[in-house]
Amino acid sequence: MDAAEFRRRGKEMVDLVADYIENIEKRQVYPDVQPGYLRALIPEEAPEEPEMYEDLVRDIERVIMPGVTHWHSPYFYAYFPTANSFPAMLADMLSGAIGCIGFSWAASPACTELETVMLDWLGKMLRLPEEFLAGTEGKGGGVIQGTASEATLVALLAARSRMIKLIQADFPDRPEADIVSKLVAYSSEQAHSSVERAGLIGGVRMRKIPTDDKFAVRGEALRRVLKEDKAAGLIPFYFCATLGTTPSCAFDCIAELGPICNSERIWMHIDAAYAGSAFICPEFRPLLNGVEFADSFNFNPHKWLLVNFDCSTMWVKSRSDIIGAFKMDPLYLKHEHQESGLVTDYRHWQIPLGRRFRSLKMWFVFRLYGVRGLQAYIRKHVKLAKEFESYVRSDQRFEISADVVLGLVCFRLKGSNELNETLLKKINAARRIHLVPCQLAGEFVLRFAVCARTTESRHVQEAWGHVSQLASEALKEVPH
Amino acid sequence: MDAAEFRRRGKEMVDLVADYIENIEKRQVYPDVQPGYLRALIPEEAPEEPEMYEDLVRDIERVIMPGVTHWHSPYFYAYFPTANSFPAMLADMLSGAIGCIGFSWAASPACTELETVMLDWLGKMLRLPEEFLAGTEGKGGGVIQGTASEATLVALLAARSRMIKLIQADFPDRPEADIVSKLVAYSSEQAHSSVERAGLIGGVRMRKIPTDDKFAVRGEALRRVLKEDKAAGLIPFYFCATLGTTPSCAFDCIAELGPICNSERIWMHIDAAYAGSAFICPEFRPLLNGVEFADSFNFNPHKWLLVNFDCSTMWVKSRSDIIGAFKMDPLYLKHEHQESGLVTDYRHWQIPLGRRFRSLKMWFVFRLYGVRGLQAYIRKHVKLAKEFESYVRSDQRFEISADVVLGLVCFRLKGSNELNETLLKKINAARRIHLVPCQLAGEFVLRFAVCARTTESRHVQEAWGHVSQLASEALKEVPH
């Protein structure tokens, strides 16, 4: 395919994309296919000779679409949102064409520098403390990671490395393996599975801290566990606080936890993967109070800030702590500006070496929406969640299982877990909307997350009507 | 921006992309900007109100392009290639629109299933042993990782977990921390820095194996080190072999190394990040002989197989070994088909949780180029490298520093490292072409990697003429 043909096919693809998004609500949100469906629809091997473009495009509807879960359908209320906006898609086209691999400043200075400045822009939108910004002389700064899981892991590795150095400064002969075997990391029992996984990868003990009746970790709970663990000879080194947990969007009390971590030399990382986007609104910013105690902070604009996946933004107060955990400098990656204070080689900040030009997406989205446009978007989703909450509260058969703070409503039928499992099965079997469950204090709970950019009040009303009707069926079928 | 405006702006962006690619050789391949250049060109904060699209587009040339290293310029010969093709860009547009997060089968069945089948297609193109293919009943299979660094790390973590289990099967009371403190991983002294980094992340000892005069690890060298380490009470568990090293595109002798690893229960991972694409050509496939001994194999179609970044393909013989290192199953990620043998939840195969629909790029590229088209592309690059090699060999002032097997030529002026450093500085200061160096057996060497899709013989001739002229200048300036 040459450039001339790309001009033609690219424009057709733009229309295909626009058609898909404009008509997405006519598609069934959750597919009917059975495991293994796709293999039977396509050849067993790649073709020897090039195929016709028309045949490929026809296969998008024949092969792909029947198996797609439509995350951007206004009937999709599962997991958490993933972002999808036209400005981000345009930026990604440009990023694909430039196609640089920005592992060092020299590998494409614009790729590195726009990222640093966009992270400052976003940090200011969130009113992050100055220490997290790069500016021209800051010791901190931001980076785009692929996912929050990677940010959690990078922070844990940096914390591990910092604690080993701290201890060896006092006891130079103490072997690293001995220190590592005593390290212990913490997170909420409500934290995302990726936090526990980071502990597994980093080869350190991980303990879960019990939460209060709001599913939040309080200072007292952490203090109790720390006392136990220190008495047992362990070395606490990392606490991953969650703002907006995956099950119920609960908020750990970082204003209580932060001072404890600081005084104990524990690295506090804040994972606000979903909720972080909301902090651009002044009314939600108080949820971030206490961030000043953190060593690192992360959230996903690719969830709720209209920047298509992947774009997980992470800030650190001390870039040398991050770099210290990873730095490797082979000759083929050295360049003349390496030692200058203005130069960032982002490969030292992350697990992969290679990286795409992802900050273009932030630049396009921020400029074409403006801060006000983004705030309006967040507020609309929160309003829709509150609307759904009000329907649930108005129906005596149901209960709300956790405070509705942002765009997630956790709810259930009053009654057994079996009853609620039956209701969820009915919902997902009907395929009109898509939800996933969670477990809260031993109860099986349904999660209604406002996800799609195009979700409106009429969709939420329709979803509630549907849930309400299936609830009547479930109540007939399951003894309660 | 609504769908109607996206139709218009998207089509303009398609033209912008086509213009960029068609005219890329008119741009200076390596930018002149100084560190910090970009911050001064844009505001300090995101705009409150939306901006005009026209202003944003104007800023692409004003702000971004002056700082871009043009990886797809036919004058770019640095690092290794990164892929860029029109079919892959079209697929990425579609992927952005679907915008699913394929962490589990249920999260979008098409995303998982196309990936499994595309990895089988590609595995067959490479004539990988059957055990690496998923088929409908295989125990192995493939996955798309973001980068080769991640594949190296995932394999190391799987190997660590497998060895711990093996040892604890015999000695159930031996603590994991004690085992880990004795583990030792190996790679070539020529291996990529990311291999050493994987060891750092995984918290295990890493030893580098000396290479022979072709910069390859031989069986004998590994055997010697193993004997030493076992005598010292260490536990060898992982060997990362490289096919096509970054400095010189050398090939470790996997046919010798594999049987040793197998008999010692050492996980052999093969990193063929760059060279792997060439194995689709029958004449280069013998370089992969010995893969049958490996536990895992990885290369980057996003380097040399026309699939835009990121797309690093990894195969394992035993998917349960990979999954065993990571598996976490919270309720909000469970789904009804979870336990079926046909279902793959790729989140258990990788470091991040989220993942884009990247197999669409492979599908588009394979179908629109056909296997023959891809082979022709590889052969063209190798031919261009041989052409450059012949120019170097025909000039008595120069020497070739390593066998030219694929698209990389390592060469230097006969003489001191200082002389060659001067030559490289002149080349990169002139900005007509872009190269990076490497170190081979203590010598400073220039690497000429054929990178861009649009590189032709005339560009290579021009590059040689330029190098040759700057060599004359360097020889005048540096005493030799």
Side-chain angles (χ1 to χ4, degrees):
Chain A
M1 184 181 289
D2 60 13
E5 194 187 350
F6 173 72
R7 287 178 201 272
R8 181 174 154 213
R9 300 310 186 183
K11 289 165 193 175
E12 291 170 6
M13 186 58 81
V14 166
D15 279 325
L16 189 153
V17 165
D19 289 345
Y20 173 71
I21 301 283
E22 278 193 311
N23 298 295
I24 197 164
E25 66 182 276
K26 295 179 197 151
R27 293 178 187 264
Q28 180 177 296
V29 60
Y30 187 66
D32 283 323
V33 296
Q34 291 300 305
Y37 89 96
L38 185 141
R39 193 177 284 271
L41 298 177
I42 66 174
E44 284 182 17
E45 299 194 24
E48 273 297 301
E49 301 297 337
E51 292 186 54
M52 301 290 292
Y53 186 77
E54 290 79 359
D55 293 337
L56 176 55
V57 164
R58 244 193 311 273
D59 279 352
I60 296 171
E61 283 301 331
R62 187 181 70 88
V63 177
I64 304 301
M65 288 302 172
V68 170
T69 302
H70 300 287
W71 282 61
H72 305 292
S73 161
Y75 298 111
F76 182 92
Y77 301 102
Y79 315 112
F80 270 137
T82 186
N84 182 286
S85 75
F86 294 122
M89 283 191 264
L90 292 170
D92 251 352
M93 290 164 68
L94 179 60
S95 170
I98 293 176
C100 60
I101 306 297
F103 44 65
S104 67
W105 182 87
S108 219
C111 178
T112 293
E113 297 205 5
L114 187 66
E115 184 163 333
T116 307
V117 179
M118 284 305 103
L119 272 281
D120 276 1
W121 276 22
L122 184 53
K124 288 174 188 171
M125 283 159 69
L126 299 167
R127 299 207 186 88
L128 282 186
E130 189 75 24
E131 298 158 275
F132 286 107
L133 306 182
T136 49
E137 294 178 349
K139 290 181 181 164
V143 60
I144 301 176
Q145 303 283 359
T147 59
S149 316
E150 287 160 87
T152 304
L153 175 60
V154 164
L156 179 138
L157 296 171
R160 186 181 73 177
S161 156
R162 187 176 80 174
M163 184 53 83
I164 292 169
K165 277 180 207 146
L166 277 172
I167 291 181
Q168 287 186 334
D170 291 337
F171 306 97
D173 297 334
R174 187 162 177 189
E176 186 171 321
D178 176 56
I179 300 170
V180 171
S181 73
K182 301 290 180 198
L183 292 179
V184 53
Y186 304 95
S187 72
S188 163
E189 62 183 5
Q190 295 286 319
H192 193 267
S193 56
S194 57
V195 182
E196 191 175 342
R197 224 156 161 266
L200 260 184
I201 293 170
V204 295
R205 204 177 265 102
M206 172 73 71
R207 267 194 80 170
K208 294 184 177 180
I209 312 287
T211 54
D212 69 4
D213 60 348
K214 301 277 190 197
F215 309 110
V217 175
R218 306 297 303 259
E220 203 34 52
L222 177 62
R223 215 175 260 126
R224 242 190 325 266
V225 174
L226 287 178
K227 202 173 154 192
E228 269 173 45
D229 284 354
K230 290 199 292 184
L234 298 180
I235 308 169
F237 78 106
Y238 178 72
F239 176 68
C240 177
T242 309
L243 296 182
T245 58
T246 308
S248 69
C249 200
F251 292 79
D252 290 343
C253 298
I254 53 173
E256 290 175 14
L257 296 158
I260 301 172
C261 291
N262 288 179
S263 74
E264 301 275 352
R265 307 194 301 184
I266 295 171
W267 182 296
M268 182 162 86
H269 173 68
I270 298 176
D271 170 9
Y274 163 68
S277 299
F279 305 152
I280 65 167
C281 299
E283 68 273 32
F284 298 123
R285 175 60 177 75
L287 293 165
L288 186 59
N289 288 350
V291 66
E292 59 275 18
F293 301 112
D295 294 283
S296 51
F297 169 69
N298 166 252
F299 82 98
N300 292 346
H302 71 226
K303 277 199 165 63
W304 201 14
L305 210 60
L306 293 164
V307 183
N308 281 43
F309 188 91
D310 53 329
C311 181
S312 180
T313 46
M314 178 188 193
W315 291 263
V316 292
K317 274 187 189 159
S318 163
R319 54 168 83 191
S320 60
D321 281 339
I322 289 281
I323 295 171
F326 291 126
K327 197 164 181 176
M328 301 266 157
D329 265 329
L331 185 58
Y332 49 82
L333 295 178
K334 282 200 195 300
H335 52 88
E336 56 181 333
H337 290 296
Q338 199 116 10
E339 300 306 323
S340 147
L342 275 174
V343 170
T344 301
D345 284 346
Y346 274 126
R347 71 176 183 281
H348 302 308
W349 297 52
Q350 59 174 26
I351 305 291
L353 174 67
R355 53 206 327 275
R356 293 167 72 229
F357 198 161
R358 293 173 291 194
S359 56
L360 285 171
K361 289 187 287 200
M362 298 174 72
W363 198 46
F364 272 53
V365 168
F366 296 165
R367 293 184 66 180
L368 295 176
Y369 277 92
V371 175
R372 272 187 226 277
L374 295 171
Q375 288 170 335
Y377 176 67
I378 296 287
R379 287 170 181 144
K380 177 185 145 193
H381 271 203
V382 177
K383 198 173 153 214
L384 291 172
K386 298 276 185 194
E387 180 180 343
F388 190 83
E389 181 192 12
S390 74
Y391 298 141
V392 176
R393 289 200 188 274
S394 68
D395 187 329
Q396 292 301 313
R397 301 173 301 170
F398 284 92
E399 61 192 5
I400 291 289
S401 307
D403 287 355
V404 178
V405 181
L406 299 173
L408 176 69
V409 183
C410 289
F411 70 106
R412 66 196 305 278
L413 279 166
K414 291 172 187 162
S416 68
N417 283 349
E418 189 197 349
L419 175 65
N420 282 285
E421 284 175 44
T422 301
L423 172 60
L424 183 70
K425 264 191 198 137
K426 283 181 175 295
I427 291 171
N428 284 331
R431 302 278 198 268
R432 271 180 62 190
I433 63 174
H434 185 40
L435 299 186
V436 295
C438 70
Q439 196 147 30
L440 290 175
E443 290 190 327
F444 186 93
V445 170
L446 280 70
R447 292 171 79 264
F448 180 91
V450 179
C451 286
R453 183 171 50 81
T454 54
T455 308
E456 301 294 343
S457 175
R458 65 182 169 89
H459 301 112
V460 171
Q461 287 168 42
E462 192 182 328
W464 170 251
H466 181 58
V467 167
S468 168
Q469 189 192 329
L470 294 177
S472 302
E473 291 181 21
L475 285 162
K476 274 186 209 139
E477 289 168 28
V478 181
H480 60 283
Chain B
M1 183 179 290
D2 61 11
E5 194 187 350
F6 173 73
R7 287 177 200 271
R8 181 173 155 212
R9 300 310 186 185
K11 288 164 194 177
E12 291 170 7
M13 186 57 81
V14 166
D15 279 326
L16 190 153
V17 165
D19 291 344
Y20 173 71
I21 301 281
E22 278 193 312
N23 298 297
I24 197 165
E25 66 181 275
K26 295 179 197 152
R27 293 179 186 264
Q28 180 176 295
V29 58
Y30 188 65
D32 283 324
V33 297
Q34 291 300 305
Y37 89 96
L38 185 140
R39 193 178 285 269
L41 298 178
I42 66 175
E44 284 180 19
E45 299 193 24
E48 274 296 299
E49 301 296 337
E51 292 187 53
M52 302 289 293
Y53 186 78
E54 291 79 359
D55 294 337
L56 175 56
V57 164
R58 244 193 311 273
D59 278 353
I60 296 172
E61 282 302 331
R62 187 181 70 89
V63 176
I64 305 299
M65 287 302 172
V68 170
T69 303
H70 299 286
W71 283 61
H72 304 292
S73 160
Y75 298 111
F76 182 92
Y77 301 103
Y79 315 110
F80 271 135
T82 186
N84 183 287
S85 75
F86 293 121
M89 283 191 264
L90 292 171
D92 252 351
M93 290 163 69
L94 179 61
S95 170
I98 294 176
C100 61
I101 306 296
F103 44 65
S104 68
W105 181 86
S108 218
C111 177
T112 293
E113 297 207 3
L114 188 66
E115 183 163 333
T116 307
V117 179
M118 285 304 103
L119 270 284
D120 275 2
W121 276 22
L122 184 52
K124 288 174 189 172
M125 283 160 67
L126 299 166
R127 300 208 186 86
L128 283 187
E130 189 74 23
E131 297 158 277
F132 286 106
L133 305 183
T136 49
E137 295 179 346
K139 289 180 181 164
V143 60
I144 300 177
Q145 303 283 359
T147 60
S149 316
E150 287 160 87
T152 303
L153 174 60
V154 165
L156 180 137
L157 296 171
R160 186 182 74 176
S161 156
R162 187 175 79 174
M163 184 54 84
I164 292 169
K165 277 180 209 146
L166 277 171
I167 291 180
Q168 287 186 333
D170 291 337
F171 306 96
D173 297 334
R174 188 162 176 188
E176 185 171 320
D178 175 57
I179 300 171
V180 171
S181 74
K182 301 291 180 198
L183 292 179
V184 52
Y186 304 94
S187 72
S188 164
E189 62 185 6
Q190 296 286 317
H192 192 267
S193 55
S194 58
V195 181
E196 191 174 342
R197 224 157 161 266
L200 260 184
I201 294 169
V204 295
R205 202 177 265 103
M206 173 72 73
R207 267 194 80 170
K208 295 185 177 180
I209 312 287
T211 54
D212 68 5
D213 58 349
K214 302 276 190 199
F215 308 108
V217 175
R218 306 298 303 261
E220 204 34 52
L222 176 62
R223 217 176 258 123
R224 244 190 323 268
V225 174
L226 287 179
K227 201 174 155 192
E228 270 172 44
D229 284 354
K230 289 199 292 182
L234 298 180
I235 307 169
F237 79 106
Y238 178 72
F239 176 69
C240 176
T242 309
L243 296 182
T245 58
T246 308
S248 69
C249 199
F251 291 78
D252 291 343
C253 298
I254 52 172
E256 290 176 13
L257 297 159
I260 302 172
C261 291
N262 287 178
S263 74
E264 301 275 351
R265 308 194 301 183
I266 295 171
W267 182 296
M268 183 162 87
H269 173 68
I270 298 175
D271 170 9
Y274 164 66
S277 298
F279 305 152
I280 65 165
C281 300
E283 67 272 32
F284 298 122
R285 176 58 178 76
L287 293 165
L288 187 58
N289 288 349
V291 66
E292 59 274 18
F293 301 111
D295 294 283
S296 52
F297 169 70
N298 166 251
F299 82 98
N300 291 346
H302 73 225
K303 279 200 163 63
W304 201 15
L305 209 60
L306 294 163
V307 183
N308 282 43
F309 188 90
D310 53 329
C311 181
S312 180
T313 46
M314 177 187 194
W315 291 262
V316 292
K317 274 187 190 160
S318 164
R319 54 168 83 191
S320 61
D321 281 340
I322 290 280
I323 295 171
F326 290 126
K327 197 164 183 176
M328 302 267 156
D329 265 327
L331 184 59
Y332 49 80
L333 294 179
K334 281 201 196 300
H335 52 87
E336 55 179 336
H337 290 296
Q338 198 116 11
E339 301 306 325
S340 147
L342 276 173
V343 169
T344 302
D345 283 346
Y346 274 126
R347 72 176 182 279
H348 301 308
W349 297 52
Q350 60 173 24
I351 305 291
L353 174 67
R355 52 206 328 274
R356 293 168 72 230
F357 198 162
R358 293 174 291 196
S359 56
L360 285 172
K361 290 188 285 201
M362 298 173 73
W363 197 47
F364 272 53
V365 168
F366 296 165
R367 292 184 66 179
L368 295 175
Y369 277 93
V371 176
R372 273 188 225 278
L374 295 170
Q375 288 170 335
Y377 176 67
I378 296 288
R379 286 169 183 146
K380 177 185 145 192
H381 271 202
V382 177
K383 198 173 152 210
L384 291 171
K386 298 277 185 193
E387 179 180 342
F388 190 83
E389 180 192 12
S390 74
Y391 299 141
V392 176
R393 288 201 188 273
S394 68
D395 187 328
Q396 292 301 314
R397 301 173 301 171
F398 284 91
E399 62 192 4
I400 291 289
S401 306
D403 288 353
V404 179
V405 181
L406 299 173
L408 176 69
V409 184
C410 289
F411 70 106
R412 66 195 305 278
L413 279 165
K414 291 169 187 164
S416 67
N417 283 349
E418 188 196 350
L419 176 64
N420 282 286
E421 284 177 42
T422 302
L423 173 58
L424 183 71
K425 266 194 197 135
K426 283 182 175 295
I427 291 170
N428 284 332
R431 302 277 199 270
R432 271 181 61 192
I433 63 174
H434 185 40
L435 300 185
V436 295
C438 69
Q439 196 147 32
L440 290 175
E443 291 190 326
F444 187 93
V445 169
L446 281 68
R447 291 170 78 265
F448 180 92
V450 179
C451 286
R453 184 171 50 80
T454 54
T455 308
E456 301 294 342
S457 174
R458 67 183 170 87
H459 302 111
V460 172
Q461 287 169 41
E462 193 182 326
W464 170 250
H466 181 58
V467 168
S468 167
Q469 190 193 326
L470 294 178
S472 303
E473 291 180 21
L475 284 162
K476 274 186 207 137
E477 289 167 27
V478 182
H480 59 283

